[in-house]
Amino acid sequence: MVSRTGSTAMASHPARPTRPHIVTLACLLLALAAVAQLAALPLTSWHQGFFHTAASSFAPTGGVAFAGVGSTADLVADLLTAVLALGLLALAAANVVGVNGARIASWATAPFLACCAIVGVARSPRPLYSVYSAEDIDRITTMARDDMPQWLEPLLLTLGLSAPVAILVALVLLALPPANSFFRRRLPADPPWLAHPGEVVPMSETARPEGPASAG
């Protein structure tokens, strides 16, 4: 739009306010929760491998078909966890720059990842418990824990429990008033209008129709 002096009036876009510390912390917590779940997936598979190796010297009592179904369900759960974790990483990056849609998507998807983390903590080598007798299970567990590193199970427990807590805290932080102000969409202001050199007049004043000069 051209002013009376021939200069172009540009619409002014208000700058987004400085990102609050709580938003930065929330995004960091979401990213850490996602990384923790991605790291737990291979560790969980490794952990279960010790049980399956120990169980190879014991004769199963039945339930082999259910064991196969259990293994398939575990694989599907791991794939879902990986997809959710990668998606949460992307949402954390979008939240940093103030994309409100990413904040809404975080509230919708992050609880599912928290549920996956809780299930991962509670999940044991499930097929073994449906295939072997109780006495054999005790011996399998003892053999597996003797072979695995002592830090493996505590680390899996820490990763599994810290992820839901981090997600819960992050979602609460994203709902606080300072975060709302940061994510709120701001409409562009009226462009200034140069009426005379060195003088700025708001557009609302210059938009009035000009009538004939009154005689008087």
Side-chain angles (χ1 to χ4, degrees):
M1 193 173 294
V2 181
S3 68
R4 299 174 185 175
T5 59
S7 60
T8 303
M10 303 297 295
S12 60
H13 296 275
R16 187 180 297 277
T18 303
R19 182 173 61 249
H21 294 304
I22 60 171
V23 173
T24 303
L25 178 59
C27 296
L28 179 61
L29 290 174
L30 290 178
L32 289 177
V35 170
Q37 285 306 289
L38 290 174
L41 292 177
L43 292 176
T44 300
S45 178
W46 187 32
H47 175 259
Q48 290 187 344
F50 288 104
F51 285 86
H52 289 290
T53 300
S56 61
S57 58
F58 293 83
T61 59
V64 177
F66 179 78
V69 173
S71 300
T72 303
D74 288 343
L75 178 60
V76 172
D78 290 343
L79 290 175
L80 177 61
T81 300
V83 171
L84 289 174
L86 292 174
L88 193 61
L89 275 176
L91 291 175
N95 283 321
V96 168
V97 297
V99 179
N100 193 45
R103 182 173 65 147
I104 296 173
S106 299
W107 285 328
T109 60
F112 289 101
L113 183 61
C115 292
C116 290
I118 295 173
V119 171
V121 171
R123 188 175 71 187
S124 59
R126 185 167 47 196
L128 299 180
Y129 285 84
S130 61
V131 174
Y132 298 93
S133 64
E135 295 78 9
D136 288 345
I137 287 297
D138 292 336
R139 286 180 285 180
I140 291 172
T141 301
T142 301
M143 293 174 59
R145 287 178 174 167
D146 288 341
D147 292 338
M148 73 176 63
Q150 295 182 353
W151 50 263
L152 181 56
E153 288 189 328
L155 177 59
L156 285 173
L157 182 64
T158 301
L159 292 175
L161 293 180
S162 61
V165 174
I167 289 173
L168 177 61
V169 173
L171 296 183
V172 171
L173 292 176
L174 289 176
L176 294 180
N180 291 333
S181 300
F182 176 69
F183 285 98
R184 184 180 299 119
R185 182 180 179 184
R186 283 169 169 73
L187 298 176
D190 287 344
W193 194 282
L194 295 176
H196 301 286
E199 179 181 358
V200 177
V201 179
M203 181 180 177
S204 57
E205 295 184 10
T206 59
R208 300 171 183 171
E210 295 184 2
S214 58

